[in-house]
Amino acid sequence: MEVLADLSEHIDELKAGIDSGDVFGPFFSIGPFTFSITQYTIWLVVDLIIVLIIVFYAKSRVSMVPRGFFPHGVEWLVDFTQRDIAEGIIGRGYRKHLNMLLTIFIFILISNLIGLIPGAKPSTGTMGTTWALSLIVFVYFNYYGIKRVGFFRYCKNLAPKGVPAALVWLIWLIELASLFLRLVTLAVRLFANMFAGHMVLGTFAVLTQLFVMPLIAQFTMGNLVTALPAIIWIAFLIAMYAMEVLVACIQAYVFTMLTAVYISLATSEH
């Protein structure tokens, strides 16, 4: 019972830390609003710096025949985004959107992977970041859709052609709601997956700590026996960590793929 009580206390602390982002303190205030710098903000800046380093370093190493692991890795990432996401989904005219898709893919991938480093936090594990990314994507694909056919025709095209006149307004309203739901689902899907993964890893780490700490504090046979269940939690932790690496890559791909799908729908005749 004591172990369960300690576990509950540790998990509550973990949740409180994740929810608050471990606020460093007020940064500045505007009227009733107070803006603070959190660990998520710090790691967001770290993500941006790493992305810029990767981009500029890769640009300096561009050659006809890439040499070394890093140039090959960046070339594969660019080729994958271009071939399987941009060209494969958008088709003709994909090149104008490639930089946008590549930027989103690299940023989310770097953010997700950095969040798996012990002590770090994924900037995509907070709704502020995922909402900002989703809003950028929402404005982007609507802008190009409106630019292609004009505002009024773009709005009119929300209702598919061939719909009976009596149902046009109903279908149009449903499609309009669906359009704004894309903004919500993009943000929530990425946030929920990264937040949940962070919580699961934290829980298994706490369970391991609860069984191991008494043995570290004092080596006795009793504490050694008590620490044996930690082997199971360590195995679970390693397995979950490997799965979270995969999830981090998949979520970056899914977000970028859906961005390409929305761009394709907004800029094509339908």
Side-chain angles (χ1 to χ4, degrees):
M1 295 298 294
E2 184 178 350
V3 171
L4 291 176
D6 289 342
L7 174 60
S8 177
E9 183 180 348
H10 278 75
I11 291 177
D12 288 340
E13 291 175 359
L14 178 65
K15 289 176 65 179
I18 291 177
D19 292 338
S20 66
D22 292 332
V23 178
F24 284 113
F27 185 52
F28 64 92
S29 300
I30 300 177
F33 302 102
T34 300
F35 298 86
S36 303
I37 296 180
T38 68
Q39 286 195 26
Y40 286 113
T41 307
I42 300 300
W43 285 108
L44 176 62
V45 174
V46 171
D47 296 339
L48 291 172
I49 292 173
I50 292 175
V51 169
L52 291 174
I53 290 173
I54 289 174
V55 170
F56 285 108
Y57 182 72
K59 184 178 180 181
S60 68
R61 299 294 297 272
V62 170
S63 62
M64 291 297 294
V65 182
R67 296 180 179 178
F69 174 79
F70 182 79
H72 273 292
V74 173
E75 183 186 35
W76 178 86
L77 194 61
V78 173
D79 184 62
F80 172 78
T81 307
Q82 176 179 326
R83 185 184 66 254
D84 292 359
I85 300 179
E87 187 176 7
I89 296 174
I90 299 174
R92 217 172 143 189
Y94 74 90
R95 290 190 178 277
K96 71 170 67 173
H97 308 294
L98 181 59
N99 288 340
M100 172 68 169
L101 295 173
L102 193 58
T103 301
I104 288 174
F105 190 29
I106 292 177
F107 173 77
I108 295 178
L109 182 62
I110 293 298
S111 175
N112 291 352
L113 292 176
I114 285 180
L116 296 175
I117 299 173
K121 289 183 180 293
S123 59
T124 47
T126 176
M127 284 295 288
T129 301
T130 58
W131 271 111
L133 288 170
S134 300
L135 185 60
I136 290 170
V137 170
F138 184 79
V139 171
Y140 183 89
F141 74 75
N142 280 298
Y143 167 77
Y144 275 96
I146 293 170
K147 182 179 179 181
R148 185 177 184 278
V149 297
F151 177 76
F152 291 105
R153 188 177 173 188
Y154 180 74
C155 292
K156 180 183 176 182
N157 286 345
L158 289 177
K161 295 179 181 179
V163 175
L167 296 176
V168 167
W169 279 106
L170 177 61
I171 299 298
W172 189 86
L173 289 173
I174 293 173
E175 289 297 324
L176 181 64
S178 175
L179 183 68
F180 282 96
L181 275 175
R182 296 174 187 175
L183 173 64
V184 178
T185 54
L186 274 176
V188 173
R189 180 187 292 107
L190 180 58
F191 162 75
N193 279 278
M194 301 317 300
F195 179 84
H198 203 57
M199 280 293 296
V200 170
L201 289 176
T203 301
F204 283 132
V206 168
L207 285 167
T208 303
Q209 178 186 354
L210 287 175
F211 286 99
V212 171
M213 286 305 294
L215 181 64
I216 295 176
Q218 183 179 6
F219 184 86
T220 64
M221 289 304 297
N223 288 340
L224 179 61
V225 173
T226 303
L228 288 178
I231 298 174
I232 298 174
W233 297 120
I234 291 173
F236 276 125
L237 182 61
I238 293 172
M240 286 300 304
Y241 195 90
M243 190 171 76
E244 282 303 311
V245 171
L246 181 62
V247 169
C249 297
I250 290 175
Q251 288 306 312
Y253 170 75
V254 168
F255 194 101
T256 311
M257 180 194 66
L258 288 174
T259 300
V261 169
Y262 297 153
I263 292 171
S264 177
L265 291 173
T267 57
S268 61
E269 290 288 349
H270 58 283

